[in-house]
C-alpha cells in the first residue's frame, strides 16, 4: 500500500485526511480496492495513447507507470523515494529529441557540436558528411550564426531519428519519460546516445533514475537492440506496449496503435 498511497498523495488525487477516514471505516482488502478505485476514477476517461508532452496528466501517468512497474517486479525490494521526488522538480523528457535549435543557446552550441560528433554513425551514408560539416563549423565558429546552426542541428537530429516513422509525433507519450529537472535541463535536446550516457553515468554514481526511464534509455524493452545509439521505431513500439501492459488496468488502452505503424505494415494489419 505504501507505493499507491504515496502516489495518490504525490499526484494530489486525494488527501491524507480522506485516506485516514477510509482506512478506519474499511477492512484492509476493501481499503486496498478503494485506493485502486480512486486511481481508476481519475483516469477513467483518459486514453493512454492520447497523452502528449502538453497533457496535464502525462507527468502523473508516467509516475504511476514507474510505481506499478516496481510493484509488478517480484524481485524488486526497494521503495520509490517519494521524498526525493517531492524535494526535486521533475520534468517530462523526450527520449528522441525534437527539432528545436533554439533550445541550444549560443554559449552551449560549441559543446553540443563536440558531444554529438562523437556519436555520429559514419557507417550511415550521411555520417561522414555530417562529421565534416561539424568540424568545419567548429573551426570557423559559424555556430554563432542562428540560421547556419539551425540547418546543421536539424540534419544531426534527423540522423539520430532516422530509424523512426517519419509520421510520428515526438510529443506523444511513447517518446516521453520522467526525469528530475536538474538532470533533464543539463542535457535538454541532446541526441539520444548522449542522453543515454548521462542516464548511465547518473545511475552509476547512485543518482535516482526512475526504473522505466532507465529501461527505455538502456533499451531493456528490446530483446536484441541492433542500434544502441538510436531510438528506433521498434524501441518505441516496445515501450508503448509496455506502457499499455502496465497501465491497462487503470486507463483506456488501445490494443494496437496503427498510427505508429508505417503505411505498408498498416495495410497488412488492417487486411
Amino acid at each position: 500500500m505504501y507505493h499507491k498511497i504515496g502516489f495518490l498523495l504525490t499526484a494530489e488525487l486525494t488527501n491524507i485526511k480522506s485516506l485516514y477516514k477510509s482506512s478506519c471505516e474499511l477492512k484492509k482488502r476493501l481499503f486496498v480496492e478503494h485506493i485502486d478505485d480512486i486511481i481508476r476514477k481519475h483516469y477513467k476517461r483518459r486514453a493512454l495513447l492520447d497523452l502528449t508532452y502538453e497533457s496535464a496528466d502525462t507527468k502523473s501517468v508516467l509516475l504511476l507507470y514507474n510505481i506499478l512497474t516496481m510493484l509488478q517486479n517480484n524481485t524488486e525490494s526497494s521503495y520509490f523515494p517519494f521524498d526525493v521526488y517531492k524535494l526535486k522538480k521533475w520534468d517530462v523528457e523526450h527520449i528522441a529529441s525534437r527539432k528545436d535549435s533554439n533550445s541550444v543557446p549560443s554559449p552551449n552550441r560549441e559543446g553540443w557540436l563536440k558531444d554529438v560528433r562523437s556519436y555520429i554513425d559514419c557507417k550511415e551514408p550521411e555520417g561522414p558528411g555530417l562529421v565534416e560539416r561539424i568540424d568545419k563549423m567548429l573551426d570557423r565558429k559559424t555556430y554563432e550564426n542562428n540560421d547556419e546552426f539551425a540547418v546543421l542541428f536539424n540534419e544531426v537530429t534527423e540522423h539520430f531519428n532516422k530509424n523512426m516513422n517519419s509520421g510520428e509525433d515526438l510529443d506523444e507519450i511513447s517518446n516521453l519519460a520522467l526525469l528530475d529537472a536538474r538532470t533533464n535541463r543539463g542535457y535538454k535536446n541532446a541526441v539520444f546516445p548522449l542522453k543515454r550516457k548521462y542516464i548511465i553515468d547518473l545511475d552509476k554514481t547512485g543518482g535516482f533514475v526512475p526504473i522505466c526511464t532507465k529501461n527505455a534509455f538502456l533499451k531493456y524493452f528490446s530483446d536484441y537492440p541492433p542500434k544502441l545509439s538510436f531510438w528506433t521505431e521498434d524501441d518505441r513500439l516496445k515501450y508503448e506496449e509496455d506502457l499499455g501492459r502496465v497501465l491497462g488496468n487503470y486507463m483506456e488502452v488501445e490494443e494496437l496503435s496503427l498510427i505508429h505503424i508505417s503505411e505498408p505494415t498498416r495495410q497488412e494489419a488492417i487486411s
Side-chain angles (χ1 to χ4, degrees):
M1 284 193 293
Y2 161 83
H3 284 96
K4 289 183 181 177
I5 290 174
F7 169 74
L8 288 176
L9 298 177
T10 302
E12 299 182 347
L13 303 192
T14 187
N15 57 66
I16 191 68
K17 184 177 179 180
S18 176
L19 281 176
Y20 178 74
K21 182 175 181 295
S22 298
S23 69
C24 293
E25 296 173 347
L26 300 171
K27 293 182 178 180
K28 183 177 180 180
R29 179 179 61 81
L30 294 176
F31 181 58
V32 171
E33 291 178 1
H34 173 66
I35 290 172
D36 277 335
D37 285 341
I38 295 173
I39 300 173
R40 287 192 189 96
K41 286 177 182 177
H42 179 78
Y43 296 114
K44 183 179 179 181
R45 296 182 180 176
R46 273 76 163 182
L48 175 64
L49 300 183
D50 287 343
L51 294 177
T52 69
Y53 185 74
E54 303 295 339
S55 301
D57 283 318
T58 298
K59 186 184 292 187
S60 68
V61 166
L62 289 173
L63 174 60
L64 179 61
Y65 174 47
N66 279 275
I67 290 169
L68 292 176
T69 296
M70 291 180 71
L71 290 175
Q72 290 179 10
N73 186 346
N74 295 327
T75 62
E76 178 62 64
S77 59
S78 60
Y79 291 90
F80 188 88
F82 288 103
D83 55 340
V84 174
Y85 188 86
K86 282 197 169 187
L87 287 172
K88 293 184 178 180
K89 292 183 178 180
W90 290 73
D91 284 345
V92 174
E93 162 67 359
H94 291 86
I95 298 174
S97 300
R98 295 184 296 180
K99 289 184 183 178
D100 180 14
S101 61
N102 292 326
S103 65
V104 184
S106 185
N108 297 354
R109 291 176 183 174
E110 182 178 8
W112 185 90
L113 288 166
K114 289 178 179 178
D115 285 338
V116 300
R117 186 193 185 283
S118 303
Y119 293 99
I120 296 290
D121 188 351
C122 287
K123 293 180 182 178
E124 297 293 328
E126 73 281 0
L130 283 175
V131 170
E132 183 179 345
R133 290 171 61 198
I134 289 172
D135 287 342
K136 188 177 294 185
M137 179 169 280
L138 286 169
D139 184 55
R140 298 177 179 178
K141 300 187 185 300
T142 51
Y143 48 78
E144 295 177 0
N145 181 296
N146 292 337
D147 292 335
E148 287 191 37
F149 179 76
V151 171
L152 185 55
F153 177 95
N154 288 341
E155 291 185 24
V156 169
T157 302
E158 286 177 3
H159 172 73
F160 287 102
N161 292 357
K162 67 182 295 182
N163 294 288
M164 295 174 61
N165 184 346
S166 60
E168 290 178 325
D169 186 346
L170 295 179
D171 282 345
E172 292 176 356
I173 195 166
S174 57
N175 188 49
L176 303 174
L178 195 64
L179 200 62
D180 71 276
R182 182 178 179 182
T183 302
N184 181 25
R185 291 163 195 176
Y187 66 72
K188 196 158 187 72
N189 235 347
V191 292
F192 175 80
L194 191 57
K195 293 180 184 182
R196 185 175 186 274
K197 179 181 182 299
Y198 284 140
I199 295 292
I200 292 172
D201 289 345
L202 181 62
D203 191 48
K204 278 182 179 177
T205 56
F208 173 63
V209 180
I211 185 171
C212 298
T213 300
K214 183 163 61 175
N215 288 347
F217 280 98
L218 270 59
K219 297 199 171 209
Y220 288 160
F221 298 116
S222 302
D223 296 329
Y224 301 101
K227 293 180 177 290
L228 291 178
S229 293
F230 295 83
W231 180 245
T232 69
E233 178 71 7
D234 182 64
D235 294 327
R236 181 168 175 164
L237 286 171
K238 293 283 179 58
Y239 180 53
E240 182 180 283
E241 288 172 10
D242 195 67
L243 280 161
R245 179 186 65 80
V246 174
L247 294 165
N249 197 35
Y250 296 91
M251 303 182 66
E252 292 182 15
V253 179
E254 297 177 29
E255 290 187 9
L256 181 64
S257 176
L258 293 179
I259 296 172
H260 294 160
I261 301 177
S262 60
E263 192 60 36
T265 310
R266 183 185 309 183
Q267 292 301 325
E268 292 173 10
I270 292 173
S271 59

